[in-house]
Structures are given as C-alpha cells and as structure tokens.
C-alpha cells in the first residue's frame, strides 16, 4: 500500500506542519481512503503564509486547537506502515521527522519521490546546467494532460469540500494521485 501525501508548513525550514493530507492506495494504486488534517502552529512565517494562505489564526480555527501531537495516534498508524509517496518527498519527510523528534520519536519511512522519478520521464530541459530539471507538480499535470478542473472535481469527491487551489495539501495530494493513475495506466 502507498500513502500519497502532501504537507503545508509554517516555514521553509523544518518547523511545524500546518496541514497534512493523504490518499491511501493499494498496490494497484486504487483508492482506499483519504483524509485531511489542519494543525495549530506556534508561529507562521510570512513567506509560508503567502504560499498557502493559512494564517496562524485560521489554523487555530480549522484545527480546533489540535496540534500534530494531538493527532499523532491516528496519523502514525498510516505514516509508520506505508510507503510515503510525495512530490519532493525529502521536504515532507523532513517536516514529519521534525514533528516525530518533538515527540521523542524517530521517523524513517520508505519513500517514493515523484519529483525525482519523473525527471527522466518528462525530460524538461534544464536551462542552467544541461540535462533535465525536476518537474513542478503543475508540469506533471500538463505532461499527463490533467486539467485543474479535473483536480478540483476529484478533490471535491475525495475530501468532500469546496473549491481549493494549488498549495492546499488536499489539492496537491489529489493532483499527485491523478498523475500516478495516468502513469500506471501507461506504464
């Protein structure tokens, strides 16, 4: 089983996770379940907030005051048992590791980084050093002809919520889920 995951964070450097969304799929990449969590954070870097638009006050409301530690029992049952699939998996893994460290625990998951995996598949020229650049998630969507409307529609179905955009973990997780569906269909 695979845990397709995305996080939104309170800073660029390991700090706290503000939002975590996942889609659990089986060995054939078929949907099993999905869930979204918001977490109260101690501070919010203005740059991070400008990316995902979650203020410290809004997160307090959306999380109902709960932190990562408050949700750990449920989240760890998934994080500790499935392969983590993420776009730029290093980033998400580092933040999860930091949250685990705050609890006195260690997190060393098996990971599948779609950013690295799709670099030689998309073959987007790197303008500075030759070779290929790592694709952005939006570039993967374009490569597989997946529209924003398709991501929106699927997000609404999987997470039972209204319109969201890129840099909301629910949107980004759904986008990655759709990319992996197309990839598996053609591989």
């Amino acid at each position: 089983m695979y845990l397709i995951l995305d996080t939104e964070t309170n800073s660029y450097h390991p700090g706290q996770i503000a939002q975590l969304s996942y889609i659990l799929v089986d060995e054939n990449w078929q949907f099993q379940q999905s869930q979204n969590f918001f977490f109260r954070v101690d501070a919010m870097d203005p740059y991070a907030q400008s990316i995902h638009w979650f203020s410290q006050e809004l997160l307090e409301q959306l999380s109902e005051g709960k932190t990562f530690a408050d949700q750990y029992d449920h989240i760890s049952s998934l994080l500790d048992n499935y392969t983590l699939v993420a776009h730029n998996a290093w980033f998400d893994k580092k933040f999860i590791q930091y949250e685990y460290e705050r609890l006195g625990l260690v997190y060393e998951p098996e990971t599948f980084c779609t950013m690295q995996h799709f670099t030689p598949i998309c073959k987007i020229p790197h303008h500075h050093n030759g070779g290929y650049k790592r694709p952005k998630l939006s570039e993967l969507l374009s490569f597989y002809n997946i529209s924003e409307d398709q991501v929106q529609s699927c997000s609404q179905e999987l997470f039972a919520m209204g319109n969201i955009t890129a840099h909301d973990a629910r949107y980004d997780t759904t986008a990655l889920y759709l990319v992996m569906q197309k990839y598996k269909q053609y591989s």
Side-chain angles (χ1 to χ4, degrees), residues 53-166:
W53 298 105
F54 296 124
S55 68
Q56 194 173 356
E57 295 77 20
L58 180 58
L59 287 168
E60 177 75 31
Q61 178 185 8
L62 293 171
S63 70
E64 297 178 349
K66 294 181 180 171
T67 63
F68 183 92
D70 295 328
Q71 300 285 1
Y72 170 77
D73 287 340
H74 177 73
I75 295 169
S76 67
S77 67
L78 296 160
L79 292 174
D80 295 342
N81 293 307
Y82 302 110
T83 300
L84 174 69
V85 178
H87 199 67
N88 192 6
W90 177 87
F91 182 85
D92 296 297
K93 178 182 164 184
K94 276 295 193 199
F95 272 86
I96 296 168
Q97 285 176 321
Y98 187 74
E99 292 285 7
Y100 269 58
E101 285 174 20
R102 289 168 50 127
L103 298 170
L105 303 167
V106 175
Y107 179 65
E108 284 300 330
E110 182 177 336
T111 60
F112 178 85
C113 180
T114 56
M115 185 182 281
Q116 290 179 338
H117 180 80
F118 285 102
T119 298
I121 294 170
C122 292
K123 298 180 180 177
I124 300 170
H126 195 289
H127 298 292
H128 298 291
N129 67 1
Y132 302 122
K133 78 176 217 52
R134 293 179 176 166
K136 297 177 184 175
L137 187 53
S138 60
E139 292 168 328
L140 280 180
L141 291 172
S142 293
F143 184 82
Y144 283 104
N145 296 313
I146 299 168
S147 71
E148 288 183 27
D149 287 342
Q150 288 172 296
V151 178
Q152 273 295 348
S153 177
C154 189
S155 292
Q156 290 171 354
E157 186 178 316
L158 295 177
F159 293 101
M161 38 41 83
N163 288 342
I164 52 171
T165 59

